[in-house]
Amino acid sequence: MTPVDSLDTMIIMGLDDEANTTREYIAKNLSFDKDIYVQNFEITIRLLGGLLSGYQLTGDKRLLNLAEDLGNRLLPVFDSPTGMPYRFVNLKTGKVRGAESNPAETGTLLIEFGTLAKLTNRPVFYDKAKRALVETYKRRSAIGLVGEKINIETGQWLASDSHISGAIDSYYEYLLKGWLLFGDQDCRRMWRESIAAINKYLSNETHAPVDTSIGRSAEPFLWYGHADMNTGEEGAKTFGALDAFFPAVLALSGDLKRAKLLQDDSFRMWKFAGIEPEEFDWGAQKITSPGYQLRPEIVESTYYLYHYTRDPKYLRMGQQLFADFVKYCKTDEAYASLKSVVTKEKSDSMHSFVFAETFKYFYLLFAPAKTLNFKRVIFNTEAHPIRRTW
Ligand code: DMJ
């Protein structure tokens, strides 16, 4: 997983020797002919996405062949009564399991499967992932929201809490990006209807002065919380490290006003304890989940906002994020997740997305704009840049 997730980061950084060694390692050693169950969502965004962007950046056909082999092995997930995917598939036997899923896992597949379809001329990949996305959207409530848990065999919701956080987040991201990458007009329509519901029921805007140690003033601020998908009734007032991807999505959609306000609030959350917690309660003004898993989302949004505004404020923000990241997470060997941003106690863990995303977005924020032609790529949710070559 890690070599594939890191390959395009090395290429973008100009680490040519490391990238070539890694590419050869992958081509010689990676085999999906394994009798193991894998999680379709994670394998798709990390491995399928990494192989496809690696192929586009190098032209190495071996990476595309691996991607197609993987795509074939993942296809059985879509053989459900609704067309929404099972969560797990055995790469060798094609057996599937895991009918209780969520919008992020049913709806974050189109960039990778769609790109595979275009590059192999096999529309089946696009069609299956698109259907999964549409079937999720079709089950939105009367007020246009989705819940956070769904049975993909019956199509029934199992949890009606609605938000933009983990378990839903990248479903929305892929509605927008499916439109931008493929020109898919259904995605455009679904994105537009969804963002209207999100802004109506999940956003919280206020101009009221709030005097807290988080440094709020009379400036307007914005954050997105939870609501019941059916009634719209307000739920938890929490916003966290995963939600911090949303300013990037808003900016990409053209809504710079909300993107900027939300980014300010993400940064306030980061500064509360010197580094960002997994979850923060804006109502109670306290950390409700204290871990930090070296997540990239806030860095990603800083990069997008700097790209769109060229406001040096975002470079300064990025410098602060990077300084804190190094200060609290660096070890002699690598970077370590934090068990708690309050105590700064480390844990022996570093996700592959640190290579794919966190390092890449930090690098791109400060690199010359020509390092990567932003307008020509769409990043999948794991920061693998995909180019529309078809
Ligand atoms: C990554 O795997 C992806 O960005 C995903 O969409 C959300 N979680 C992690 C990073 O935090």
Side-chain angles (χ1 to χ4, degrees), residues 218-266:
E219 292 162 17
F221 61 88
L222 170 75
W223 52 276
Y224 288 75
H226 293 232
D228 184 273
M229 67 178 276
N230 297 307
T231 63
E233 191 184 330
E234 190 179 22
K237 294 178 190 293
T238 50
F239 182 89
L242 285 166
D243 310 54
F245 82 108
F246 212 56
V249 170
L250 289 168
L252 185 64
S253 78
D255 188 350
L256 263 183
K257 185 169 166 262
R258 283 196 181 84
K260 287 188 206 165
L261 285 174
L262 187 57
Q263 181 68 8
D264 286 349
D265 245 32
S266 293

Side-chain angles (χ1 to χ4, degrees), residues 41-42 45-46 169-170 242 295-297 353 357 381-382:
F41 164 76
E42 297 289 359
I45 66 169
R46 299 185 198 214
D169 45 8
S170 46
L242 285 166
R295 291 202 188 278
E297 285 79 2
F353 60 65
E357 298 195 72
T381 195
E382 187 79 359

Side-chain angles (χ1 to χ4, degrees), residues 43-76:
I43 291 293
T44 297
I45 66 169
R46 299 185 198 214
L47 286 183
L48 197 51
L51 288 168
L52 289 169
S53 80
Y55 165 66
Q56 287 193 319
L57 286 165
T58 62
D60 189 334
K61 197 77 199 301
R62 294 173 300 178
L63 301 179
L64 182 60
N65 292 339
L66 279 164
E68 186 172 5
D69 178 46
L70 176 58
N72 288 333
R73 293 170 188 274
L74 296 177
L75 273 181

Side-chain angles (χ1 to χ4, degrees), residues 72-88:
N72 288 333
R73 293 170 188 274
L74 296 177
L75 273 181
V77 295
F78 296 106
D79 295 335
S80 75
T82 64
M84 289 187 285
Y86 289 92
R87 293 186 68 211
F88 302 97

